[in-house]
Amino acid sequence: VQLQASGGGLVQAGGSLRLSCAASGGTFSAYIMGWFRQAPGKEREFVAAIGWGSGNTYYADSMKGRFAVSRDNAKNTMYLQMNMLKPEDTALYYCAATVPRRGTYPAAVGDYRYWGQGTLVTVSS
């Protein structure tokens, strides 16, 4: 499985960005795809995830309302729409994938097996 994240950039506070994660090398219907981020000097943290087959989504509490995760099955691509961005959203954003244990909603770094490279989001004040 290969994951390729893109779409990062420099944006002013209050602006929006949409990140993409292109997936290849597997059949993803049983997978959960997630977004994580890592700010300078901080640990990598969970942002949001989506069940590839079901389309069900879940979010870190602090991300609810401003961020939205979605996927396009035909393009094997996951998206993260980020609105009302704040300087504290500045981070490297990673996409990740895993086949979860039945009934679980993985949100820890160690829960994910496959990782893409990060895409940098910088929010200026």
Side-chain angles (χ1 to χ4, degrees):
V1 173
Q2 292 82 44
L3 304 172
Q4 180 77 33
S6 61
L10 175 63
V11 63
Q12 287 189 330
S16 298
L17 274 178
R18 189 177 78 159
L19 306 183
S20 299
C21 176
S24 61
T27 302
F28 300 107
S29 58
Y31 279 68
I32 283 182
M33 302 288 200
W35 287 100
F36 289 75
R37 70 184 187 183
Q38 188 165 18
K42 294 189 177 181
E43 294 187 351
R44 195 170 297 188
E45 66 174 344
F46 174 73
V47 174
I50 186 166
W52 198 262
S54 66
N56 292 335
T57 60
Y58 57 102
Y59 298 85
D61 287 343
S62 60
M63 313 298 173
K64 291 178 181 177
R66 294 191 301 125
F67 292 5
V69 61
S70 62
R71 91 283 192 232
D72 184 329
N73 287 358
K75 295 181 179 180
N76 270 4
T77 300
M78 174 179 64
Y79 303 99
L80 183 68
Q81 178 67 44
M82 303 185 295
N83 300 321
M84 298 180 62
L85 283 163
K86 306 174 182 179
E88 51 264 43
D89 294 318
T90 294
L92 270 170
Y93 283 73
Y94 297 89
C95 56
T98 193
V99 177
R101 293 190 301 276
R102 185 183 296 274
T104 65
Y105 296 87
V109 171
D111 292 334
Y112 285 78
R113 179 174 181 181
Y114 303 101
W115 291 84
Q117 89 296 352
T119 186
L120 181 62
V121 173
T122 303
V123 184
S124 63
S125 57

